[in-house]
Amino acid sequence: MCMKRNFQRGKMKWQIQIQTFLKYEYRNAWNQFYTARKLSLGCKQNLRKFVTVKSAPPWNILFFGTDEFSLQSLKALHREQQTRGVIGRLDVVSVSLKKIVPAVRRYCYKEGLTLQDWPVVVPHGIYDIGIVVSFGHLIPSSIIEAFPLGILNIHGSLLPRWRGAAPVIHALLNNDQETGITLMKIEPHRFDVGKIVSKIAIPIAWDTKSGALTNHLAEVGAQQLISVLHDLPRKLQTASPQSEEGITKAPKVNEGTAKIHWNHYTCSNIQARYRALDDRFPLWTLWHGTQVKLRGMVMQEEWSCHPLHEDNKAMEVKDYKESEGRVSNEIESAAKDKECSVTEFFSKSNQKGLLINEWQTMKSTVKHRNLSEESSEKTVNHKISLGKPLPGTIVFNKKLKVLSIRCLDGWVNFCQVVIKGRKVMSAQDFYNGFVSKAPKDLQKFN
């Protein structure tokens, strides 16, 4: 019995010694870690003080980019590095995607440029300046502070108009007559709010679509970047804050934005959506519950020659809900009774509960409507003799060989139709194979 008690006492003593030893080692390790961390922070702060800010090229650059838009700037930087000596070191940061290899990564693999995956740690004093182009990630202050000259961003709009991820799309959605390229300094915590280093305006042709405009802006942005790098210290010194007026947002869009609501969209609305979205999200509607994509719109210059909003405010892009608006025929007839356009009718009636942006129309009379509308109207008169055609009504225009579809204030024409699971169909094939076989009162899109 005594031996058993002595054994238990010895065991308890041994456990106490082990615990005491572990506590000591833990406290010692923690103190060493805390001291090392404090010293490292102090070294970083001291390093920032002693890092010299260069006043002349060659510049050591870390480039942040992903897509085709940013690739144009990277190519320009690479060419400049190889030829003129304005650029010294050029490294790249890009994202890694599961399904596709981004354009910037492909170029780095091909040309042998040093590539780092995001997120990244940037050491102080290695690079002079950072360049961000269509990167899609917010750069934290810890990275911004690693560059003595800061970080420049190339943005595809005339800031502060169209801050956000889709400036080109929103410029076209609103029938803007010009856009441009803005080079600005990156600020922490917020997108597109930094000081403007350089800005150049680009006119938008009435029939320009988003793909062509994006490519043009990418080229202009790359040229402007190289120009700024040649005179970088002065450009940074003369950078000016953005205006607090005229701020608009350009958030991402999705396939839902491309749906056509025939009761609520004017010819100008539909054409603006076609120009803005067709290269990414083709316009679509429903044929008896089946999704149908409309391609090859016959565009009219007069539908794009004026901004959709006279006060130059941005149109809110959202999927329109049927319950949020009035019946289009009632509004159109009320406007005619007052001998004014739909826009003027809304201004006079001041119906704040309506989505006014979706009802904007150009101030024009019937005599100013396009020739294709008149041709479609004649065709419709042969087929529909009673009353005015309802929005969504489909007619095949034999002269133009297009589908003519009634919207809020007129007719729009499309050359091709794509039904899910089928090949691209001509307007005539779709009309003969689907529309003509439906009853007269059902020959319309939902």
Side-chain angles (χ1 to χ4, degrees), residues 333-352:
S333 62
K336 288 182 178 179
D337 291 342
K338 294 182 178 291
E339 299 182 350
C340 64
S341 68
V342 174
T343 302
E344 293 171 326
F345 171 72
F346 277 130
S347 298
K348 292 178 181 179
S349 59
N350 193 25
Q351 297 291 332
K352 295 183 179 179

Side-chain angles (χ1 to χ4, degrees), residues 1 56 183 258 264 317 388 419:
M1 196 70 176
L183 268 69
H264 312 300
V317 179
K388 183 179 178 180
I419 300 179

Side-chain angles (χ1 to χ4, degrees), residues 57-59 76-88 223 226-227 229-230:
W59 312 113
L77 291 172
H78 194 203
R79 287 194 299 267
E80 194 73 14
Q81 182 191 36
Q82 295 172 323
T83 56
R84 301 186 185 180
V86 177
I87 299 172
Q223 296 171 6
I226 299 303
S227 176
L229 289 176
H230 279 269

Side-chain angles (χ1 to χ4, degrees), residues 229-370:
L229 289 176
H230 279 269
D231 193 18
L232 184 59
R234 188 182 69 83
K235 291 288 187 180
L236 293 176
Q237 188 176 5
T238 58
S240 58
Q242 294 187 31
S243 172
E244 294 299 324
E245 299 180 355
I247 297 173
T248 54
K249 299 298 180 66
K252 290 182 179 180
V253 298
N254 54 36
E255 190 179 13
T257 311
K259 182 179 181 180
I260 303 176
H261 300 273
W262 303 103
N263 287 333
H264 312 300
Y265 290 177
T266 65
C267 297
S268 186
N269 292 148
I270 294 172
Q271 181 164 291
R273 276 174 165 73
Y274 175 76
R275 295 171 60 206
L277 301 170
D278 184 66
D279 292 322
R280 293 186 60 189
F281 305 108
L283 300 185
W284 61 278
T285 184
L286 294 176
W287 167 257
H288 297 184
T290 300
Q291 187 185 68
V292 173
K293 296 180 180 179
L294 301 174
R295 307 304 301 270
M297 182 179 182
V298 181
M299 295 189 285
Q300 302 296 323
E301 184 173 0
E302 65 186 68
W303 293 341
S304 298
C305 62
H306 299 292
L308 289 177
H309 311 287
E310 297 171 6
D311 59 0
N312 207 33
K313 290 183 179 179
M315 177 179 66
E316 183 181 1
V317 179
K318 60 187 294 186
D319 296 337
Y320 192 89
K321 297 180 181 179
E322 299 290 339
S323 60
E324 291 179 353
R326 290 184 177 180
V327 178
S328 60
N329 290 336
E330 294 178 359
I331 292 179
E332 194 172 19
S333 62
K336 288 182 178 179
D337 291 342
K338 294 182 178 291
E339 299 182 350
C340 64
S341 68
V342 174
T343 302
E344 293 171 326
F345 171 72
F346 277 130
S347 298
K348 292 178 181 179
S349 59
N350 193 25
Q351 297 291 332
K352 295 183 179 179
L354 300 176
L355 293 180
I356 296 178
N357 288 334
E358 297 292 358
W359 296 90
Q360 297 287 345
T361 60
M362 294 165 48
K363 292 183 178 180
S364 61
T365 58
V366 176
K367 66 180 181 180
H368 293 125
R369 291 181 180 175
N370 58 79

